[in-house]
Amino acid sequence: MLIRFSGSASKTWERVTSIFSDYLWKFVHRPSAIEMPRSKRRHHSRSRSRSSGAYREKRPKRHHDSEAESDTRQSNTSFDGSSRRRRERSKRSHHRRSPDSSRRRNRDRHREDKSSRRHHKDRDRKEREDRTPVKKQPSVRDDADGHLIYHTGDILHNRYKILATLGEGTFGRVVKVKDLEMEHTMALKVIKNVEKYREAAKLEINALEKIAEKDPTFQHLCVKMLDWFDYHGHMCIAFEMLGLSVFDFLRENNYEPYPMDHVRHMAYQLCYAVKFLHENKLTHTDLKPENILFVDSEFTTTFNGRKNREVRRVKCTDIRLIDFGSATFDHEHHSTIVSTRHYRAPEVILELGWSQPCDVWSIGCIMFELYLGITLFQTHDNREHLAMMERILGTIPYRMARKTRTKYFHHGKLDWDEKSSAGRYVRDHCKPLHRYVLAETPDHLQLFDIIRRMLEYDPANRITLGEALRHPFFAKLPPAQRLHEKCNENSVSASSSRERSHSLSR
């Protein structure tokens, strides 16, 4: 239905409508109810957070005269409400960080955490290292027996390079070394890191130095000491390089006995060398085939048809005497027991005291072994050893049996049961000395004569080495091998020259 108003009524209606619209606008568009689109709000807030300050706008003056003013008032009121709300949100969001800043902080925090973890790991490792004692690998080690642990190529004393192992004994080991200063090979005796062997090595060094003083040209066939030093508790002695020992050559030759001429020459050299020691008041005390070395152990091989095998024959029978670790001067303390079992003299077993004649007994046993290739007294018991002596050499003198403080004798007679297993072994494996002779020829008989005189029970009646060198057994030696005669000639010529010089000085 169309309603028409008059002019005055129309103005009145417009006035009422304007008032009602103004009131309704104020009610609907309160500042707290004004909102912006979410996208604009977020963007505006972000832009506000990046701004340097808040908005500073003057509140518009309120006018109610016309519709234009009303519209302006309405728009200003709306903007002012939204502006306040944005400022409040800007305050809340001012401390928020943009996604880029958050990623940067997370990255920095990760770096800090990683650095902190690394720092803590380093600190923990250092603490563990401080708590755990540092175990350095020792440069020099010994085995359970006191032997030096070494390898080929090791250098000792910054001079001697190890090339090979030559042998081993109770004292230690002997190695082949190269002298890096002199550029030649030699034998180095490395003593065990054990007190008693170390002291014995010092005595050996002392004996070798005294021998070198008395025999600077080493004409008396004792081994030449080149150097010595203490290597971390191991006494080391350097010697000239020699060949195999008499025993090792015998063993590698299936214990084939040496020829008679070899036995003669080697026995003569042994007597000559030990005689030199005795003249200087020194007793070796440990003579045995292992301590007699060939200067050069090269050999030739021949076939033995009777034994159906090849037999070695050493080319040169020149020897050197070694191992002075038990050598004792007359003025030094004499141990109760000396010598290796098989070559031990009866006065040592009976503890009657000993001196140089005990070496002569050992030489007699060695000559027997060179001749037959077997040990004369193969035993490890004192009582059995004495029983073997009586079986081979006859009854032990009553005077010695009564003088000993050992319990091997009863009323001057050896306390030995011949019917026991040990007694039967001695009876079956031992026989009188003369029955060991292989041939009834002068050479063999003379050999056993000198052996018998060396194996005299009473050391006072035992042959001396000076007498042994003049024995007929050595008469067949070529003049070039009779060293004692050369020595006598040299001494005579030296004394005569001194006499001539003395007469000229007068």
Side-chain angles (χ1 to χ4, degrees), residues 419-437:
K419 296 181 180 180
S420 64
S421 60
R424 290 192 298 271
Y425 174 83
V426 171
R427 185 178 66 251
D428 295 339
H429 292 82
C430 298
K431 55 187 177 182
L433 184 63
H434 67 275
R435 292 176 58 184
Y436 286 99
V437 179

Side-chain angles (χ1 to χ4, degrees), residues 92 103 111 127 151 160 164 220 257 274 283 285 296 303 320 354 367 369 371 393 409 427 474:
R92 290 195 301 269
R103 282 194 295 271
R111 289 177 178 175
E127 290 178 355
H151 302 88
Y160 300 106
H220 290 86
V274 179
T283 306
T285 75
D296 187 352
F303 183 78
R320 293 292 182 270
W354 53 268
M367 292 175 67
E369 190 167 343
Y371 174 75
L393 303 173
F409 293 87
R427 185 178 66 251
F474 298 121

Side-chain angles (χ1 to χ4, degrees), residues 172-217:
R173 293 191 176 102
V174 179
V175 295
K176 181 180 179 181
V177 299
K178 180 180 180 180
D179 187 348
L180 300 179
E181 292 183 5
M182 305 301 293
E183 291 296 330
H184 68 269
T185 59
M186 60 180 63
L188 187 68
K189 186 177 181 180
V190 184
I191 307 299
K192 287 181 180 179
N193 191 6
V194 179
E195 183 64 25
K196 65 176 182 178
Y197 296 116
R198 192 183 304 114
E199 294 301 320
K202 293 178 181 178
L203 295 176
E204 180 176 12
I205 292 169
N206 178 58
L208 290 168
E209 289 177 342
K210 296 293 180 62
I211 291 172
E213 291 177 3
K214 297 293 183 179
D215 184 21
T217 58

Side-chain angles (χ1 to χ4, degrees), residues 384-505:
E384 185 180 68
H385 197 170
L386 294 172
M388 287 182 172
M389 289 181 182
E390 288 198 337
R391 174 69 174 165
I392 296 171
L393 303 173
T395 305
I396 296 175
Y398 179 78
R399 183 184 62 83
M400 297 178 66
R402 294 289 292 178
K403 189 177 180 181
T404 182
R405 295 183 179 181
T406 60
K407 299 180 180 180
Y408 304 130
F409 293 87
H410 181 68
H411 298 297
K413 185 177 180 181
L414 181 63
D415 187 9
W416 178 254
D417 184 7
E418 295 183 355
K419 296 181 180 180
S420 64
S421 60
R424 290 192 298 271
Y425 174 83
V426 171
R427 185 178 66 251
D428 295 339
H429 292 82
C430 298
K431 55 187 177 182
L433 184 63
H434 67 275
R435 292 176 58 184
Y436 286 99
V437 179
L438 297 177
E440 296 291 333
T441 61
D443 288 344
H444 294 259
L445 295 176
Q446 289 172 357
L447 172 62
F448 272 82
D449 179 69
I450 191 174
I451 291 175
R452 182 65 184 86
R453 296 180 65 180
M454 287 180 173
L455 298 180
E456 182 66 41
Y457 280 124
D458 192 344
N461 298 330
R462 202 170 295 157
I463 189 174
T464 65
L465 294 179
E467 296 171 345
L469 291 174
R470 295 188 296 270
H471 192 276
F473 175 68
F474 298 121
K476 289 187 177 181
L477 282 173
Q481 295 180 351
R482 297 177 186 175
L483 301 177
H484 72 287
E485 295 178 357
K486 290 184 178 181
C487 183
N488 293 335
E489 292 175 359
N490 293 334
S491 62
V492 170
S493 61
S495 60
S496 62
S497 63
R498 284 195 300 270
E499 290 176 358
R500 287 195 300 270
S501 63
H502 181 64
S503 63
L504 289 174
S505 64

Side-chain angles (χ1 to χ4, degrees), residues 51 60 62 101 105 195 217 226 274 281 287 342 448 466 496:
S51 63
R62 301 178 66 179
S101 65
R105 177 166 178 80
E195 183 64 25
T217 58
L226 303 175
V274 179
K281 300 180 179 181
L287 296 174
H342 313 306
F448 272 82
S496 62

